[in-house]
Amino acid sequence: MLGAARRQLGSGPMLGQVLRRLRPAAAAARGYSAAVKEMNVRDALNSALDEEMSADPSVFLMGEEVGEYQGAYKISKGLLDKYGPDRVLDTPITEAGFTGIGVGAAYHGLRPIVEFMTFNFSMQAIDHIINSAAKSNYMSAGQISVPIVFRGPNGAAAGVGAQHSQCYAAWYAHVPGLKVLTPYSAEDARGLLKAAIRDPDPVIFLENELLYGESFPVSAEVLDSSFCVPIGKAKIEREGKDVTITAYSKMVGYALQAAEVLSKEGISAEVINLRSIRPLDRDAINASVRKTNRLVTVEEGFPQHGIGAEICMSVVEESFEYLDAPVERIAGADVPMPYAANLERMAVPQVDDIVRAAKRACYRAVPVAATA
Amino acid sequence: MAAASFTAAKFLAPVAARSGGERAPPLPAGASSSSFARTLRRGGAHHPRLRTALAVSSDVLAGNKAAHAAASNPAVTREEALELYEDMVLGRVFEDMCAQMYYRGKMFGFVHLYNGQEAVSTGFIKLLNQADCVVSTYRDHVHALSKGVPPRSVMAELFGKATGCCRGQGGSMHMFSAPHNLLGGFAFIGEGIPVATGAAFAAKYRHEVLKESGPDGLDVTVAFFGDGTCNNGQFFECLNMAQLWKLPIVFVVENNLWAIGMSHLRATSDPEIWKKGPAFGMPGVHVDGMDVLKVREVAKEAIERARRGEGPTLVECETYRFRGHSLADPDELRKPDEKSHYAARDSITALKKYIIEENLATESELKSIEKKIDDIVEEAVEFADASPHPPRSQLLENVFADPKGFGIGPDGKYRCEDPKFTQGTAQV
Ligand SMILES: Cc1ncc(C[n+]2csc(CCOP(=O)(O)OP(=O)(O)O)c2C)c(N)n1
Ligand SMILES: [Mg+2]
C-alpha cells in the first residue's frame, strides 16, 4: 500500500537543494562531536543514491513508483529528472519478475538498486534474492558475482495490520551470501547505502518508514561524497558501564531514550547500534559485554530464532564467564501485527520495556507491566 | 478443449454489443476480421472464433471521450433496480464517512476507498448467494458491504474495535467474514487470486468428490483485483489452472486505469486485459464498469457458466476511482480532464437517471433510500465509536486454531493454560 504518510509527503527536497537546505543543529544532543548540520534520513538516502548514480553509470534504480511518482516515500525524488527513464525505471507490480531481472543485470555487468515499495513485498521475490542473488557466487565458484542492492522500508509501520508490518532482518540474516544492513541515523543511511552500492555482493538494505522524516546532526565528513560506513561494524551510540543494550534501526532511538531514563536512576547503559546484522560485529558486542557484564538485546521482529537469539549465542560462546545476569531479550510479540492501535502498541517494543529489562539485568526491582 | 463446450461466441455477442458502445460495433458472427481472431484461427482449428470488444484502454489511447450508448430496454425489475441502487449508495456513503473518520483520527494506516467503482461490486456481488465466495484486495470495504457484512461491523473493524468483523485484528485492508464467505482482503498484489482459485477448487471438489453442493450447481467464487495486478505472475498462473481444471470462478479486473501513480498504459505491453482470457482458453469480456446494468448482465452470464461447471471467465471492467489511491496519496499524476470525464459518468447518477426514466421508481423513493443509508452509516459510526477496544488478552488469541501452538512452558504445561497467558502478561 502506499505508505507515504501525509506528514512525510513533499518534505523531501529536490536533489541539489539538499545541501542548501541543511540547517545548523539546534543542539548536538545526540553526541555527534563534530556535528554542525542536520539532515533527515530521507535526504541522506536520496543524496547517497544521487552521488553513487552520478559516480558510476552502471548503477541504476528500478522499482514500483520510483520514477514519475518520485518514490512511494519520496526517496528517489528528483532522480528521474536527473538520470532519465533509462536509469530510473518504473516497473509493473511484479516483484518476482523485476527482482529476477535486477539479479540478471547484476550477473551481466550492471549494479542495480532494486527498491521494494516496502520490504513486505520482497516476499514475492524471495526466490531470486536467495537462490539467484545470494548463492550464485558460491555455486559458480566465484565466476558470477552479484553486486546488487535491495532496499526499501522495513519493520512495523503504524496501523497497517499484519501483512504490512513486519521486520525482515532475521529472515535475510539467516542466509549465507547476503549482507544485511540496518541504518538508524542520517549518517548510517548515507554511509551504509553508499557502501552497499559499491559492494560486490548482494546487500539487503532495511530502511524504516517512521525514520525517514527524522533529522540527525551530520558532520562535514558525513556530507563528503567520499563518505562510506564500513559494512560489518557496529557503532557505540552511547558509552556506559553497567549494561549493554544492542539495537538496530528504529530501536536504536528507543534504546537511547531508555538509556536516558536509566541514567536518571543511576544505571549507565551502553547502547550499540548494530548497523550491520550480517556480518554481525561480534567483537564490538563482546567487548562491550565484557565491560558491562550485562546484556539486553532489542529488536522489533519476532522473538523466535531472531537477532537477539544470535547475539545471545555469540556472547554465550565468547564471553559467558563475564555475564553477571541472564541475557534479556526484548522483541516484538510472537503474533502477527494486530490492527487495533492499543493491541499494536502492545505488540512492538516500547521504551519502558527496555528500561525494565535493563533493570532486571541489573537486579533492580521492576514492577510488572500494568497497562492494558 | 472442444469448441462445442465453449460458449464464448454466444456469451460474447451481447457483451460486445453493450460494452463496445460507439467504439466497437459488434461484428457479425463468423465475420470477425480482428487480428486477434486471425491469430486464433492461425493458432488451430480447435479454438472457437471470438468476437472482439474494444478494451477500456482503447478509449484512453484514442483520447475518445464519447459517451456510451445506454441500454435499450429495462434489464432489471423495480425490486432489482432498487436493491442495486441501495447497495451502490451504501458503498459511496460508507466510504465518504471513512474519509471523514480517517481525518478525525478514528481510523489509521492505509485506507483505500472505493468511490467510483461501486457498479462493479454491486453488479457482481448482488448476484451471489451466501455460499458463494468473494476474495478482495486492500480496497475491500465495499465488497464486504455488498456481500452482506453489516456496515456497523465493517466500521467497527476500521475503528479497531472488538466488535469489528475481525475484532480489530485485521483492519482496513483485511476484511474477513466466514458467515458471508468473504475470504479476505489481501494487501499484497496478486495474492488474493490464487486463494480465490483455491476456494473455487474446493467448491468443485466438494461438489464432485464430497457430493456436497446444493441443487443449483457449484458455489462460485468471484475474485476482484486491479489493472496493476494483471501484470503479476499469479494472475497468469491462475488463469491457466482455473481453465485447466474448469473451476467455478470469475476473475474480475477493476481496471481503474491506474496503479497508485503508474498509468496502466505505462505498465503493460497490451492494455486490453480481457484478451488474456482467450489466451488461456477462457472467455474474456470487456464491460463498461461505470454502468451497473451492463456489469450485471456480464456478471450473470459468467456466474451462471461457473455454476454450471463450464469454467472460469475473465471480466475486465472499465472503471475509475474518484479519490486518490489511498487517503495518503497526493494524487498528483492523474489529469483533471481524465478525472472529470469519469466523474461525469458516475455510475450512481446514471442508475438514478435510468430508474426514473424507465419509471421503475420515483425521485422521492430514491431520496428515501438515500436517507435510510445515511442513517445506517451514521448508526455504524455511533456503534463503532461506542464499542470497546480489544482487551489485552486478545493479543495472544487466534494465532493458532489450536492455542497449544504456543508450546509447552518451563512448568511442563501448555503455555496457553497459564493464567498469565489470557491476561496477556505471559512471555511467549
Ligand atoms: C506485492 C505488492 N507490491 C506492491 C504493493 C503496493 N501496492 C499497493 S496497491 C498498488 C497498486 C495496485 O494497483 P491496481 O492493481 O491497479 O489496483 P487499484 O489500487 O487501482 O485498485 C501497489 C503497487 C503491494 N500491495 N503488493
Ligand atoms: Mg488500478
Side-chain angles (χ1 to χ4, degrees):
Chain A
M1 287 338 75
L2 174 61
R6 273 163 301 139
R7 66 180 181 284
Q8 295 170 335
L9 286 173
S11 59
M14 295 297 287
L15 277 175
Q17 294 176 355
V18 170
L19 295 182
R20 259 177 283 135
R21 277 188 70 224
L22 292 171
R23 282 166 284 126
R30 288 171 217 267
Y32 289 74
S33 51
V36 288
K37 308 263 173 134
E38 285 211 350
M39 183 182 235
N40 71 28
V41 170
R42 176 179 287 108
D43 294 344
L45 293 168
N46 181 277
S47 61
L49 289 172
D50 186 12
E51 289 167 12
E52 295 307 305
M53 286 183 76
S54 114
D56 181 351
S58 69
V59 176
F60 69 97
L61 175 67
M62 71 192 302
E64 292 156 16
E65 309 285 2
V66 297
E68 292 196 1
Y69 199 81
Q70 313 288 324
Y73 296 87
K74 310 296 166 196
I75 302 303
S76 52
K77 191 160 188 171
L79 297 180
L80 175 65
D81 282 351
K82 191 158 174 185
Y83 298 102
D86 290 341
R87 294 185 67 197
V88 179
L89 283 90
D90 279 325
T91 62
I93 313 164
T94 154
E95 280 78 4
F98 70 71
T99 302
I101 288 173
V103 171
Y107 279 22
H108 203 55
L110 302 185
R111 302 183 88 85
I113 302 165
V114 170
E115 173 171 314
F116 293 118
M117 190 177 281
T118 77
F119 251 94
N120 302 292
F121 310 138
S122 76
M123 284 197 289
Q124 295 197 354
I126 203 163
D127 176 31
H128 283 302
I129 297 173
I130 292 173
N131 271 334
S132 318
K135 298 178 183 173
S136 44
N137 198 64
Y138 188 82
M139 292 191 294
S140 70
Q143 299 175 79
I144 304 280
S145 68
V146 190
I148 188 168
V149 177
F150 304 103
R151 52 155 290 271
N154 169 67
V160 292
Q163 293 189 341
H164 274 70
S165 264
Q166 192 160 320
C167 175
Y168 288 87
W171 291 52
Y172 290 117
H174 191 62
V175 181
L178 292 180
K179 298 174 181 173
V180 181
L181 306 182
T182 52
Y184 160 61
S185 65
E187 172 184 322
D188 294 358
R190 239 181 93 72
L192 288 172
L193 184 53
K194 288 162 76 72
I197 296 169
R198 296 176 199 179
D199 197 84
D201 290 309
V203 178
I204 303 283
F205 193 86
L206 303 171
E207 301 159 12
N208 188 296
E209 175 197 338
L210 303 172
L211 289 175
Y212 283 149
E214 256 192 54
S215 289
F216 292 85
V218 281
S219 65
E221 183 204 355
V222 170
L223 295 174
D224 192 274
S225 69
S226 67
F227 179 69
C228 254
V229 164
I231 292 174
K233 283 267 171 258
K235 179 185 180 195
I236 311 280
E237 291 281 350
R238 178 182 173 126
E239 289 199 28
K241 56 183 177 40
D242 297 332
V243 57
T244 298
I245 305 177
T246 63
Y248 59 92
S249 188
K250 187 171 139 234
M251 288 296 123
V252 176
Y254 282 32
L256 289 169
Q257 287 177 47
E260 199 56 42
V261 174
L262 290 164
S263 76
K264 301 213 171 76
E265 305 190 25
I267 294 174
S268 157
E270 176 144 305
V271 176
I272 299 185
N273 170 3
L274 294 172
R275 282 186 163 173
S276 172
I277 301 294
R278 183 186 187 98
L280 184 65
D281 193 348
R282 294 172 201 272
D283 291 350
I285 296 165
N286 279 283
S288 177
V289 170
R290 287 174 186 215
K291 179 172 76 171
T292 65
N293 312 110
R294 293 174 167 85
L295 174 63
V296 176
T297 70
V298 185
E299 68 201 294
E300 216 180 38
F302 304 127
Q304 266 199 30
H305 316 294
I307 306 302
E310 180 61 31
I311 290 173
C312 179
M313 192 62 202
S314 165
V315 168
V316 166
E317 282 169 346
E318 293 173 44
S319 313
F320 184 66
E321 64 278 23
Y322 290 86
L323 284 174
D324 283 350
V327 175
E328 292 276 347
R329 169 174 63 185
I330 297 296
D334 198 14
V335 302
M337 185 67 74
Y339 166 77
N342 66 324
L343 295 182
E344 184 187 66
R345 204 184 135 77
M346 288 176 218
V348 289
Q350 304 294 334
V351 173
D352 279 355
D353 299 323
I354 304 171
V355 170
R356 274 199 301 274
K359 286 187 180 172
R360 279 196 300 271
C362 296
Y363 300 114
R364 300 284 188 91
V366 199
V368 190
T371 49
Chain B
M1 175 196 55
S5 72
F6 192 82
T7 57
K10 169 181 155 250
F11 181 37
L12 281 180
V15 173
R18 283 187 172 278
S19 66
E22 291 163 22
R23 295 171 295 140
L27 296 159
S32 172
S33 62
S34 75
S35 60
F36 174 57
R38 275 200 302 278
T39 311
L40 272 190
R41 260 180 258 133
R42 239 183 282 126
H46 55 286
H47 277 290
R49 268 170 301 193
L50 294 175
R51 292 153 160 248
T52 55
L54 278 189
V56 58
S57 329
S58 58
D59 187 31
V60 177
L61 279 169
N64 178 359
K65 304 281 189 265
H68 292 240
S72 47
N73 52 327
V76 281
T77 64
R78 173 186 146 84
E79 286 65 38
E80 287 168 341
L82 294 184
E83 185 197 16
L84 299 180
Y85 189 72
E86 181 168 327
D87 193 55
M88 290 169 76
V89 172
L90 173 62
R92 180 70 57 87
V93 173
F94 188 93
E95 295 291 66
D96 284 340
M97 184 60 88
C98 286
Q100 276 190 46
M101 294 299 120
Y102 176 85
Y103 292 123
R104 274 195 228 160
K106 296 281 184 189
M107 52 186 77
F108 16 84
F110 304 145
V111 177
H112 306 81
L113 301 184
Y114 195 71
N115 297 52
Q117 303 183 197
E118 294 86 354
V120 181
S121 178
T122 300
F124 273 89
I125 299 178
K126 285 296 152 196
L127 291 168
L128 298 179
N129 307 324
Q130 180 108 351
D132 294 326
C133 296
V134 165
V135 175
S136 179
T137 65
Y138 43 87
R139 203 181 297 286
D140 56 356
H141 312 167
V142 176
H143 295 140
L145 298 173
S146 291
K147 194 70 178 54
V149 185
R152 46 155 59 190
S153 59
V154 178
M155 192 62 85
E157 185 62 28
L158 292 165
F159 276 48
K161 296 298 184 74
T163 52
C165 57
C166 299
R167 304 198 307 164
Q169 290 168 217
S172 171
M173 300 189 278
H174 306 295
M175 296 289 168
F176 295 82
S177 181
H180 301 92
N181 283 303
L182 172 66
L183 303 189
F186 288 84
F188 282 24
I189 293 305
E191 73 186 0
I193 302 176
V195 172
T197 309
F201 177 88
K204 188 168 185 203
Y205 186 97
R206 285 161 68 160
H207 183 73
E208 290 180 1
V209 181
L210 306 179
K211 314 280 180 219
E212 269 184 15
S213 293
D216 299 344
L218 295 163
D219 295 337
V220 176
T221 298
V222 180
F224 294 93
F225 48 94
D227 46 286
T229 305
C230 297
N231 301 312
N232 188 289
Q234 299 186 68
F235 170 59
F236 300 98
E237 293 172 29
C238 288
L239 289 182
N240 179 48
M241 283 183 282
Q243 176 63 19
L244 186 66
W245 297 330
K246 289 269 186 319
L247 301 180
I249 184 166
V250 186
F251 298 101
V252 180
V253 184
E254 303 200 43
N255 184 353
N256 57 17
L257 310 183
W258 291 83
I260 310 184
M262 182 69 153
S263 156
H264 179 55
L265 302 179
R266 286 210 305 130
T268 200
S269 54
D270 180 348
E272 294 178 76
I273 297 168
W274 65 273
K275 279 185 183 175
K276 283 154 189 163
F280 287 90
M282 76 176 75
V285 190
H286 169 264
V287 65
D288 176 3
M290 302 304 273
D291 182 332
V292 69
L293 300 181
K294 287 179 188 166
V295 172
R296 188 176 159 94
E297 185 176 345
V298 167
K300 203 176 248 165
E301 183 94 34
I303 291 167
E304 280 166 12
R305 268 192 91 238
R307 215 181 279 300
R308 289 194 300 265
E310 289 168 22
T313 306
L314 172 64
V315 182
E316 175 185 2
C317 305
E318 171 181 356
T319 182
Y320 203 70
R321 58 172 159 73
F322 290 169
R323 291 176 174 271
H325 170 73
S326 75
L327 288 171
D329 176 19
D331 192 16
E332 285 159 347
L333 295 173
R334 299 189 304 165
K335 297 270 179 322
D337 64 334
E338 182 184 287
K339 292 184 193 178
S340 55
H341 168 66
Y342 285 97
R345 304 195 48 237
D346 189 327
S347 61
I348 297 182
T349 320
L351 179 63
K352 186 175 195 166
K353 184 160 170 275
Y354 176 87
I355 288 174
I356 290 167
E357 279 174 8
E358 299 286 334
N359 290 318
L360 293 169
T362 65
E363 181 122 32
S364 76
E365 284 175 302
L366 297 183
K367 276 258 148 47
S368 68
I369 289 178
E370 288 158 25
K371 169 79 176 65
K372 175 177 147 196
I373 295 299
D374 283 343
D375 292 346
I376 288 173
V377 172
E378 203 60 55
E379 192 276 335
V381 166
E382 280 162 22
F383 171 79
D385 210 30
S387 291
H389 291 287
R392 188 186 176 93
S393 59
Q394 222 180 283
L395 182 64
L396 301 181
E397 290 173 1
N398 306 131
V399 178
F400 301 97
D402 168 14
K404 291 177 180 161
F406 277 105
I408 295 167
D411 58 358
K413 294 193 182 130
Y414 282 111
R415 285 182 206 274
C416 60
E417 289 162 6
D418 175 353
K420 281 201 264 166
F421 189 90
T422 40
Q423 287 155 20
T425 51
Q427 300 271 329
V428 288

